[in-house]
Amino acid sequence: MDLELLKLVVIVAIGGGTITTSLVQKIKESFKFKNSKILILVNFIISMIVGTFFAKTFSELTLVNCIWVGLITFIGADVIYQSLEDKIFTKFSDIDNTTIIERSDEI
């Protein structure tokens, strides 16, 4: 199993999931769906389209892996990330955010 590829797919899906969630919420507010099955179908279609295009645009993943990003976006990338966090990811709390960027070309 290629754990680095899995990490990349899940991380890209988190980014796509943020956009998808916002978009689905706007559609849900605008169209007042009476049937939850229709909303789930709309969510699936939007997740697959946005997740796949997001991955294809902002990563070097193959088309098949981009489709996996769309599916993971629909399932919930944050839930998958949390379940795999202890196994293959570095915890967010353990990441050192003290990187300082210096500019040498001040105006």
Side-chain angles (χ1 to χ4, degrees):
M1 179 182 286
D2 188 355
L3 294 178
E4 290 301 316
L5 179 60
L6 180 61
K7 281 189 213 180
L8 182 60
V9 167
V10 172
I11 289 170
V12 172
I14 290 171
T18 305
I19 296 167
T20 300
T21 302
S22 299
L23 186 58
V24 168
Q25 190 63 32
K26 293 290 183 188
I27 290 172
K28 183 178 164 184
E29 291 171 1
S30 299
F31 291 106
K32 307 290 182 201
F33 290 102
K34 294 178 183 173
N35 190 347
S36 64
K37 291 179 184 178
I38 294 173
L39 183 60
I40 291 171
L41 181 63
V42 168
N43 187 2
F44 177 75
I45 292 169
I46 290 173
S47 295
M48 290 303 291
I49 291 171
V50 171
T52 302
F53 282 127
F54 182 83
K56 197 66 180 160
T57 303
F58 296 108
S59 72
E60 299 294 324
L61 294 172
T62 65
L63 181 60
V64 172
N65 292 330
C66 290
I67 293 170
W68 275 107
V69 168
L71 182 63
I72 292 172
T73 299
F74 173 69
I75 294 170
D78 55 337
V79 174
I80 293 170
Y81 182 91
Q82 289 172 357
S83 68
L84 296 174
E85 185 176 33
D86 294 336
K87 296 164 187 66
I88 63 172
F89 290 102
T90 302
K91 291 185 179 183
F92 279 133
S93 60
D94 294 340
I95 297 174
D96 184 17
N97 292 327
T98 59
T99 305
I100 298 173
I101 300 173
E102 295 183 24
R103 293 185 66 192
S104 61
D105 58 327
E106 293 187 31
I107 298 177

